[in-house]
Amino acid sequence: LGLIVIWERVQRSSPGRIIMPVVVTGLVLGMLTYPVVIGNQWLNWRNPEREWLGVDGLASIASLGPDEYAGIEWLWEHADDDDVMLAAGGCEWSNEVSRTASASGVQSLLGWPGHEGQWHLGEEGISAQIADRSDAIETLGESLDPALVDRYGVTLVYLGPAEIHGANEEARSGCVPGPFRGASDPSYPGDGWSEVFSQGEVRIFRKDGT
């Protein structure tokens, strides 16, 4: 808006009509150097020996956990839009928890509580809902209570590193980092569920009939 006002005024002056475009062009070009220079400096500071992986946001998962990446690929190809996945959930700013849902796009019982609170800002009872869903994940991680399964519409159970071993997070309201108590039981998740994916430490089960 400031540039528009200035441009309207300098049009009365022939030198102004020449000088202003030159100055503005210089400012824009100068500002464009910032993301290039600072981005390169930041990457070098983080890892001078880095291997450039392009803009693939999931490349880190592929390199750190190929089994988990394969599970996410299965979800891409086979999960339905209305599927709901039971997995470790919540836990703000944790890359280990909730990344299966965020990377695959399959909805889970609970995302990052702070973000959920922002998206539902002003919604009555949202804090209680977050606590209830956190408790539900904890309960379902031990035994798939049919009432809770129906309440939240769970159709998929995902067992990966966080669900089996636990993530590097402290369990608390709004944060269920695993491990699931039932994950070590060979009979989990029990009757009515079929294994549809297995690779390494990652297994995915689907509710029969869904």
Side-chain angles (χ1 to χ4, degrees):
L1 292 176
L3 288 175
I4 292 173
V5 173
I6 295 173
W7 177 246
E8 289 178 345
R9 294 186 178 181
V10 300
Q11 284 190 83
R12 303 167 190 168
S13 168
S14 296
R17 290 198 298 269
I18 297 173
I19 295 173
M20 185 180 172
V22 173
V23 172
V24 171
T25 301
L27 287 173
V28 171
L29 292 176
M31 288 186 292
L32 289 176
T33 62
Y34 176 81
V36 176
V37 173
I38 200 64
N40 184 64
Q41 289 178 342
W42 187 85
L43 288 171
N44 284 329
W45 169 74
R46 291 286 292 179
N47 183 7
E49 304 299 326
R50 74 187 186 281
E51 178 185 357
W52 178 245
L53 299 174
V55 294
D56 183 0
L58 300 180
S60 60
I61 298 177
S63 60
L64 296 175
D67 296 338
E68 195 166 12
Y69 189 86
I72 290 169
E73 286 189 311
W74 185 92
L75 291 169
W76 289 341
E77 296 175 7
H78 301 283
D80 297 325
D81 292 340
D82 57 352
D83 275 325
V84 177
M85 177 170 57
L86 172 65
C91 308
E92 299 286 358
W93 305 107
S94 174
N95 184 42
E96 296 177 86
V97 183
S98 299
R99 71 181 175 191
T100 308
S102 63
S104 67
V106 179
Q107 59 187 324
S108 61
L109 269 68
L110 183 62
W112 287 359
H115 285 193
E116 296 289 357
Q118 292 171 356
W119 295 326
H120 298 274
L121 190 63
E123 184 177 317
E124 185 177 353
I126 184 62
S127 296
Q129 288 188 46
I130 290 173
D132 288 346
R133 287 175 175 268
S134 178
D135 292 341
I137 295 173
E138 190 76 32
T139 300
L140 292 170
E142 182 175 6
S143 177
L144 291 183
D145 177 11
L148 276 180
V149 169
D150 291 342
R151 177 181 178 183
Y152 293 105
V154 178
T155 57
L156 295 169
V157 174
Y158 180 92
L159 297 180
E163 292 76 16
I164 296 172
H165 304 295
N168 188 27
E169 293 284 339
E170 180 182 351
R172 57 192 181 277
S173 179
C175 179
V176 188
F180 285 176
R181 286 188 291 254
S184 59
D185 185 346
S187 65
Y188 183 86
D191 295 336
W193 296 83
S194 299
E195 186 176 83
V196 290
F197 175 86
S198 178
Q199 178 175 315
E201 287 191 314
V202 175
R203 293 180 295 158
I204 300 174
F205 298 86
R206 177 176 282 283
K207 185 181 179 183
D208 295 344
T210 63

